[in-house]
Amino acid sequence: MRRGTLFAVVVLVVLSGCTVPGTPGQLDTDRELGSVAGYAADDEFAFGEEATLTEDELEAVTYRSMARLEVIRGMKFERAVDIEVITREEYREQRGEPEAASTFRNEVWRAPFVVDGETDVNDEFEALYGDAVQGYYSSDRIVLVADDSDEIRIDRGTLVHELTHALQDQHFGLEREGETIDERRAELGLIEGEANYLPYLYDERCADEWQCLPDPGTPAELEPGDRPFNLGLFLSIYAPYAEGPAFVSHLHETEGWSAVDRAFDDRPVSTSQVIHPARYPDDEPVDVDITDRSSDAWDPITDDDDGEIRTETIGEATLFGSLWTNGVVDRPLTEGGSELAPYNYTHPTTDGWAGDTLTAYEHTDEETDDNVTAHVWKLAWADAADAEAFADAYRGVLEANGADPVDAGADSDTYRIDDGGFAGAFHVFVDDERVTIVGGPDVDALEEIHATADGDASTDADADVDTDATLEAGGNASANASMAADVDLDVAASADVEVAASVDAPTATGSSLGSAVS
């Protein structure tokens, strides 16, 4: 089976310790649109045929790129943007060693079979980002990461991508309010979507209207078997970059830039809205509640601040990545893709997602004194057929990881995985449009983690929600879930930071993966 091909973008910025074009300052607000610091969108330079630039040339290219973005977007930069280049060694020192992930965080990524129980998820994120970052934007400052210090080489897609973030920050702000994995991916679908869409429009004019820096060329292929990172995490994180440009293009082409402006005030709330733009903004999330039915032996993991049970929402995009990585979605990632969105995250198994909530539990093993974790994960679907389709797909994930059936009933199934990082027991229960999954260390523990009740899922408070009435065909929702207390490694320290990595999909612009996500 062909699992698709990933691509690695060659890092094209290589200089240490320079800062251009200087200290950021206010730009003249009365100036003509498309004229920045004396440079115009249609300027042509004697240099530019070669990839290497001097500091003065980089300054000129930066201001010209800003002028061109103003023409495309119809919006002026308010302030100049600083550009700094640091070595990869300096970047690693700034990043530091990752802290161990929380018990809750590890269990969240184990449930969809993305990171196994023997692996710390923060280490997986570090492996994904640590050696592949190209640069990031923060507060009128673009930092580009170099692999050596001999000369300046610029990937124009990366430069335009980061300048777009500066323009967004100056007009809308880049603070994010999403509390769950899915909500944060959705917000970034807008933010990163525009930051990839504008370079696409920019490149269209490079063909015959504007003189541009040379294209960096075709990315080197990275075969899945050789990938130095967790593919499930990559697909989750990359979703805003893969589907966001088409989402923003849909807004722009149907209602103009004013629709994109409004979206910054009313941001998408689920990756389902980003993957299926017609669902934005009217298809609101449905709440998926989980009643705590654990025994005294198991404690739900709570928030350190308020003592509330911690919850998480995985979302459609990450579900797709999990099913694809585990071989249940059997098609190339690029099948059905487009120039704007080369990786296609739509699939009949996940298109009907309507919301999900995950809670985690822990207890101390009396014999070993080890801390043992478990989870209850409930997913809502547009209808019963979609729910059963996902349950079948999840059974496929279990089988792909060595699960054997222990018990099968009319509405539920129990499985056991004896060995490996996902070893444990899993109970899959289907009730109309709801699927409940319980995962624990062994079969006997499942009932203690989430005791069976009459009608099971139908007795929970959320069972009265009419999903079909809330969603149009295919459905869209995300759960109200409390924010994780620990700081995610893949969330930037400040709200206006976006980090680009050289591990990338074949986008039209060469713009790259960001770490301002979780």
Side-chain angles (χ1 to χ4, degrees), residues 290-302 309 359-363 372-376 436 438-441 444-453 456 460:
I290 296 177
T291 300
D292 178 23
R293 299 209 293 265
S294 61
S295 71
D296 292 341
W298 288 86
D299 296 316
I301 297 178
T302 58
I309 295 176
T359 59
Y361 292 80
E362 60 185 345
H363 90 124
V372 182
T373 59
H375 60 266
V376 178
T436 301
V438 184
D444 292 339
L446 296 180
E447 185 71 11
E448 295 182 345
I449 296 162
H450 194 68
T452 303
D456 202 15
D460 288 350

Side-chain angles (χ1 to χ4, degrees), residues 1-3 323-324 327-332 335 347:
M1 175 182 64
R2 183 179 183 272
R3 302 297 300 140
L323 297 183
W324 191 91
V328 175
V329 173
D330 186 10
R331 65 159 172 79
E335 184 176 294
H347 192 270

Side-chain angles (χ1 to χ4, degrees), residues 3-4 8 55-56 71 76 170 182 230 268 351 363 459 467:
R3 302 297 300 140
E55 292 186 25
D56 288 341
V71 170
K76 293 180 181 178
Q170 292 175 18
D182 195 47
N230 182 300
D351 286 352
H363 90 124
T459 66
T467 307

Side-chain angles (χ1 to χ4, degrees), residues 126-139:
E126 182 62 24
L128 178 58
Y129 288 120
D131 294 329
V133 171
Q134 283 184 318
Y136 60 87
Y137 166 80
S138 177
S139 301

Side-chain angles (χ1 to χ4, degrees), residues 464-482:
D464 293 331
V465 176
D466 186 350
T467 307
D468 292 332
T470 307
L471 307 179
E472 295 181 357
N476 169 63
S478 67
N480 278 335
S482 61

Side-chain angles (χ1 to χ4, degrees), residues 4-84:
T5 303
L6 296 180
F7 296 79
V9 174
V10 178
V11 177
L12 297 174
V13 185
V14 285
L15 181 78
S16 174
C18 76
T19 302
V20 291
T23 303
Q26 291 296 125
L27 295 171
D28 182 8
T29 56
D30 295 329
R31 62 189 168 81
E32 181 181 352
L33 185 76
S35 178
V36 180
Y39 293 92
D42 58 358
D43 280 351
E44 295 188 3
F45 300 142
F47 61 89
E49 295 302 319
E50 300 295 331
T52 59
L53 301 174
T54 67
E55 292 186 25
D56 288 341
E57 290 169 347
L58 177 57
E59 176 179 321
V61 166
T62 299
Y63 281 131
R64 185 180 68 176
S65 297
M66 293 170 69
R68 290 174 173 180
L69 281 174
E70 290 190 347
V71 170
I72 295 171
R73 189 60 168 86
M75 183 181 291
K76 293 180 181 178
F77 281 90
E78 298 174 348
R79 299 180 299 277
V81 180
D82 226 15
I83 297 184
E84 179 182 353

